[in-house]
Amino acid sequence: MSNDTNVDDPPEDASDAAPDEDGREQPPERQGDRPPLEDEGDRGDDLDEPIDGFDPSSDEDDDLETVEDLGSTVEVDPGVEVDEEIAEDDLLGGLKIDSTEDIEVPDRLVDQVIGQDEARDIIIKAAKQRRHVMMIGSPGTGKSMLAKAMSQLLPKEDLQDVLVYHNPDDGNEPKVRTVPAGKGEQIIDAHKEEARKRNQMRSILMWIIIAIVIGYAILTGPILLGILAAGIIWLIFRYTSRGSDAMVPNMIVNNGDQRVAPFEDATGAHAGALLGDVRHDPFQSGGMETPSHDRVEPGAIHKSNKGVLFVDEINTLDIRTQQKLMTAIQEGEFAITGQSERSSGAMVQTEPVPCDFIMVAAGNLDAMENMHPALRNRIKGYGYEVYMDDTIEDTPEMRRKYARFIAQEVERDGRLPHFTDDAVEELILEAKRRSGRKNHLTLHFRSLGGLVRVAGDIARAEDRDRTTREDVLQAKQRSRSIEQQLADDYIERRKDYELQVNEGGVEGRVNGLAVMGEDSGIMLPVMAEIAPAQGGGQVIATGKLQEMAEESVQNVSAIIKKFSDVDLSEKDIHIQFVQAGQQGVDGDSASITVATAVISALENIPVDQSVAMTGSLSVRGDVLPVGGVTHKIEAAAKAGCTKVIIPQANEQDVMIEDEYEDMIEIIPCSNISEVLDVALMGEPKKDSLVDRLKSITGTAFDQGTVGSAGGSNPSPQ
């Protein structure tokens, strides 16, 4: 394989093309069969000239392509007035706008990235130094956008076209040649023109010979014999004419019209689409076969030569494909062969094809588990690993960038009406709420962008030129996740069958709270019953509990054994998660619910059914933080509860919708005694129980264990 910089350059080895004495360019290792390139002498120096009005040396393009000029700080509001005095408290960060139409959107993708400053800086450095990158994080946080932005930062001057030629010595090993981008089409056109002229001359010669043969047969004797001879001549010419067609090369990579470095998204690609393939030929003889070089198909690794190869969910590639991908990264070239052993293409293997790409691998946290260790090591050893943030601190600058994000989505879609200032404010409030953390904004822009599009569609359906706050509120209802729709449906069905209790007092029954998916909550009752043991006492929990939930039940039993006066060796404690469903229960956020239900059943003290609760519990009685408190509180309000108990450490994470604020009272608790004080009914017995529990576990509470618990990782349940 040769790497030519000009089609007029003399070959450097036997595999290069060489002109014969007629000025024709020869195929690799063969003289006399390659057609001349028309006007090569005039066009060979045009590689540095502007193409279709594109001048790589212009000042404007230098501004767009120079990596050194990039930085982490992006002007998000050029030409828009910012009131710094109110910026801190203003949802728009002080922006003085009537709609998103007033916000200027940057041209480069790298400048449109919001919130992922570390990842953005790494992408810029990696583009400059040509390093590989692996990005790990939740879906919708900007991984693919950063990969595309990287391709815009790479230079395009050294892009190449890749041609595959017939090998006269071995048809199953086609020759490969690279030429500067744009030259490939010239070579193909020249070969096709030469082949057309050859076929035309052969056709004229054939008809002349046929005419002579038939004329001779008419004059001298049997006409039938002359017709038969003419037919044989026609077949001979037709069969041999395919040889000249086979000399036309196959351009498998065409970068002639490419204005930036190539970007190939190979997410979920099978082996052939990623590594290249050779098509099966059903006619393999008799002059009807397709030349092997014409059946060669490039893979994403070849199309991304001098550019970026992006593979999301990298762990979904099988191990053999990952091994070959690692070889391509290491060698910078990879031969194309048939991927199916049953195909005739499996017999074909080209010379190595250039694949000098920058690898950008992406995935969720589980992607690292099934990723080939050697492939990850190569990316890490010759590049960067970066974790994508899920949230970012809420600052006036970030709120202004969120306003710009909405403007970007409107411009990218091209059909949405611009958003009014109050609609932008509502979307920023939603971004706060979806973050699940106080003073933070979510970085899950894909789902937030979906909300933008739904709101815009509503405004457009009503033929309005602006999207308003009412449209956003309506969109929030319409764009509920499947999990949220199911949760709402469950709540309604439980009301029909009176499975939901939200008033009065019941012994051993507590309204627990859980999350479905990522953005929906549901009320999950827990019941406890104490029965005489047939053997040794044990704790029996049902409801398809997962491992973490089972461990939390064991932790609860430690607290019960510590304070209870009842001999538990003679009792069985039965715990039921009512209607937990096929997916069961996971996580430990039902710990205080289980503890309250068991204690209520042991002491025969009713639980207030207007109270719902969520929280993890340590073996010393501390209430630890959990995840999804906002969605759980809203679920409790929908179910008709008037109070909800949450961990005190989660108090800062509560961001419920305005409609629920007057429906439910939020009570933060730091230990189990505070939980029981709120949840249990029957003052004399309850007060005695709470006092006794405090006297036993008070030392642990006084030492401030709750403060340390605040740093625990929230449960996903």
Side-chain angles (χ1 to χ4, degrees):
M1 181 189 67
S2 61
N3 293 312
D4 299 342
T5 57
N6 191 306
V7 292
D8 293 327
D9 291 342
E12 296 180 1
D13 54 44
S15 64
D16 285 327
D20 64 7
E21 36 184 50
D22 294 329
R24 293 176 179 169
E25 188 183 16
Q26 309 306 316
E29 299 185 6
R30 173 135 176 177
Q31 307 295 322
D33 287 328
R34 176 168 299 181
L37 302 182
E38 296 183 359
D39 299 326
E40 276 186 34
D42 295 332
R43 302 186 65 175
D45 298 328
D46 291 342
L47 298 177
D48 296 328
E49 296 299 321
I51 301 174
D52 297 334
F54 176 80
D55 184 0
S57 62
S58 66
D59 293 338
E60 179 181 357
D61 291 321
D62 284 344
D63 292 340
L64 291 177
E65 301 294 340
T66 303
V67 177
E68 289 81 350
D69 296 337
L70 299 175
S72 297
T73 304
V74 181
E75 283 294 330
V76 298
D77 41 32
V80 178
E81 182 183 353
V82 178
D83 190 342
E84 296 292 350
E85 294 183 0
I86 65 170
E88 193 65 37
D89 299 323
D90 184 28
L91 279 172
L92 296 179
L95 278 180
K96 294 295 185 180
I97 59 171
D98 294 326
S99 72
T100 52
E101 190 175 13
D102 301 332
I103 301 175
E104 184 177 340
V105 176
D107 294 327
R108 293 179 307 185
L109 277 177
V110 72
D111 293 333
Q112 295 180 17
V113 176
I114 296 173
Q116 304 288 357
D117 289 343
E118 181 183 359
R120 180 178 177 274
D121 289 345
I122 286 176
I123 286 294
I124 292 172
K125 294 175 184 176
K128 182 178 180 180
Q129 303 294 336
R130 294 192 64 84
R131 306 294 190 207
H132 305 298
V133 179
M134 183 167 72
M135 295 183 286
I136 298 296
S138 303
T141 51
K143 296 187 288 291
S144 60
M145 185 176 182
L146 282 166
K148 289 180 181 178
M150 190 178 191
S151 67
Q152 293 183 354
L153 299 175
L154 294 173
K156 68 169 290 292
E157 298 82 46
D158 55 356
L159 296 184
Q160 298 172 326
D161 293 340
V162 180
L163 303 170
V164 180
Y165 288 89
H166 171 67
N167 186 348
D169 298 327
D170 186 354
N172 286 330
E173 190 179 353
K175 298 287 186 178
V176 174
R177 181 183 176 208
T178 61
V179 296
K183 280 293 181 181
E185 291 184 347
Q186 300 175 30
I187 295 174
I188 295 293
D189 291 342
H191 276 279
K192 286 182 177 178
E193 178 63 22
E194 182 66 16
R196 186 188 67 79
K197 291 179 180 178
R198 288 182 180 178
N199 288 335
Q200 187 177 26
M201 293 298 296
R202 294 173 67 89
S203 179
I204 293 173
L205 179 61
M206 177 189 71
W207 288 115
I208 291 174
I209 295 175
I210 290 176
I212 293 173
V213 170
I214 293 178
Y216 180 78
I218 293 174
L219 295 175
T220 61
I223 298 177
L224 186 60
L225 186 61
I227 295 174
L228 181 61
I232 293 173
I233 293 171
W234 183 83
L235 288 174
I236 291 173
F237 271 87
R238 181 173 178 80
Y239 181 82
T240 57
S241 67
R242 297 184 61 85
S244 62
D245 294 338
M247 296 310 301
V248 178
N250 175 21
M251 183 161 57
I252 60 174
V253 177
N254 183 3
N255 285 317
D257 298 327
Q258 194 76 26
R259 290 292 173 266
V260 295
F263 172 83
E264 288 294 325
D265 188 346
T267 301
H270 57 79
L274 179 64
L275 305 171
D277 203 351
V278 179
R279 299 193 307 272
H280 175 67
D281 183 13
F283 305 104
Q284 301 176 37
S285 61
M288 302 180 67
E289 70 276 4
T290 302
S292 59
H293 75 282
D294 270 342
R295 294 185 281 122
V296 174
E297 296 290 342
I301 62 173
H302 308 110
K303 295 177 183 178
S304 59
N305 183 39
K306 305 298 183 182
V308 174
L309 177 69
F310 176 66
V311 183
D312 201 358
E313 304 299 339
I314 184 70
N315 57 312
T316 60
L317 296 177
D318 63 65
I319 294 298
R320 291 181 61 187
T321 302
Q322 291 188 47
Q323 288 175 330
K324 294 177 180 178
L325 181 60
M326 181 179 61
T327 301
I329 293 175
Q330 180 176 349
E331 301 297 333
E333 56 184 17
F334 194 83
I336 299 176
T337 186
Q339 298 297 329
S340 173
E341 295 180 355
R342 299 182 179 181
S343 167
S344 62
M347 299 296 295
V348 179
Q349 181 168 340
T350 69
E351 290 182 340
V353 180
C355 55
D356 182 18
F357 56 83
I358 295 177
M359 174 78 172
V360 179
N364 303 328
L365 284 173
D366 61 349
M368 295 182 291
E369 297 178 4
N370 297 324
M371 187 175 178
H372 196 294
L375 177 59
R376 182 184 175 189
N377 182 265
R378 184 157 297 279
I379 295 176
K380 186 177 181 180
Y382 294 92
Y384 300 90
E385 289 186 342
V386 58
Y387 178 74
M388 306 292 287
D389 295 325
D390 289 324
T391 64
I392 194 168
E393 187 177 355
D394 179 14
T395 64
E397 180 187 4
M398 284 308 305
R399 281 178 242 141
R400 293 195 291 268
K401 288 185 178 181
Y402 267 74
R404 192 194 72 195
F405 162 74
I406 299 168
Q408 290 172 187
E409 291 297 302
V410 172
E411 183 175 294
R412 185 177 293 116
D413 186 275
R415 299 182 298 272
L416 303 178
H418 278 280
F419 283 61
T420 61
D421 55 349
D422 58 345
V424 175
E425 290 178 351
E426 184 61 35
L427 283 166
I428 293 175
L429 279 175
E430 182 66 13
K432 286 186 174 186
R433 179 173 175 271
R434 293 189 179 191
S435 71
R437 298 176 62 187
K438 194 74 170 179
N439 298 324
H440 277 73
L441 296 164
T442 182
L443 291 178
H444 289 242
F445 286 110
R446 185 175 297 148
S447 59
L448 198 63
L451 182 61
V452 170
R453 283 179 282 277
V454 172
D457 288 345
I458 293 172
R460 189 177 180 220
E462 298 179 6
D463 200 24
R464 286 188 273 107
D465 60 353
R466 289 290 184 270
T467 305
T468 64
R469 179 175 181 271
E470 288 69 27
D471 296 326
V472 176
L473 293 175
Q474 190 176 348
K476 288 166 67 175
Q477 178 65 21
R478 289 190 183 181
S479 61
R480 292 177 302 159
S481 66
I482 294 295
E483 291 84 359
Q484 184 61 59
Q485 295 177 48
L486 285 172
D488 293 343
D489 185 57
Y490 286 163
I491 291 173
E492 292 301 318
R493 290 191 181 190
R494 286 177 177 178
K495 287 180 180 178
D496 293 341
Y497 293 99
E498 297 182 354
L499 295 174
Q500 219 152 254
V501 181
N502 53 29
E503 59 184 14
V506 179
E507 294 180 7
R509 185 188 189 280
V510 181
N511 289 320
L513 297 168
V515 291
M516 294 179 63
E518 296 180 353
D519 61 351
S520 57
I522 189 170
M523 196 159 77
L524 184 66
V526 175
M527 295 185 180
E529 187 65 41
I530 310 300
Q534 299 298 321
Q538 58 181 331
V539 177
I540 304 169
T542 59
K544 203 174 181 181
L545 274 64
Q546 306 297 326
E547 183 177 356
M548 187 179 293
E550 290 180 351
E551 291 175 354
S552 70
V553 170
Q554 298 301 321
N555 292 340
V556 168
S557 66
I559 299 173
I560 296 170
K561 292 174 183 177
K562 185 172 183 179
F563 90 90
S564 178
D565 292 334
V566 180
D567 186 1
L568 296 181
S569 63
E570 301 177 358
K571 304 288 185 181
D572 284 341
I573 301 176
H574 294 264
I575 302 169
Q576 180 188 11
F577 289 81
V578 181
Q579 290 190 325
Q582 293 182 349
Q583 295 180 346
V585 179
D586 196 8
D588 62 348
S589 66
S591 297
I592 64 169
T593 307
V594 172
T596 303
V598 173
I599 292 171
S600 168
L602 278 173
E603 300 293 332
N604 298 317
I605 303 176
V607 178
D608 187 352
Q609 297 302 297
S610 67
V611 176
M613 63 181 69
T614 183
S616 180
L617 194 64
S618 75
V619 293
R620 304 183 71 179
D622 308 319
V623 178
L624 308 179
V626 295
V629 288
T630 296
H631 304 301
K632 293 175 180 178
I633 293 171
E634 292 177 353
K638 290 179 183 179
C641 295
T642 58
K643 298 178 183 178
V644 61
I645 297 173
I646 66 170
Q648 191 171 52
N650 282 128
E651 186 176 8
Q652 61 178 357
D653 300 329
V654 176
M655 286 168 283
I656 62 174
E657 298 278 8
D658 295 340
E659 60 184 293
Y660 301 116
E661 289 185 354
D662 297 331
M663 296 173 59
I664 195 162
E665 178 186 359
I666 302 171
I667 304 174
C669 293
S670 60
N671 56 65
I672 187 63
S673 61
E674 294 178 3
V675 173
L676 297 176
D677 194 22
V678 174
L680 299 182
M681 302 176 68
E683 296 302 325
K685 294 182 69 175
K686 180 187 78 170
D687 292 343
S688 174
L689 172 65
V690 172
D691 290 342
R692 186 168 80 249
L693 184 60
K694 284 182 178 179
S695 66
I696 296 174
T697 59
T699 304
F701 300 144
D702 293 340
Q703 290 176 352
T705 55
V706 175
S708 62
S712 302
N713 292 328
S715 164
Q717 178 72 3

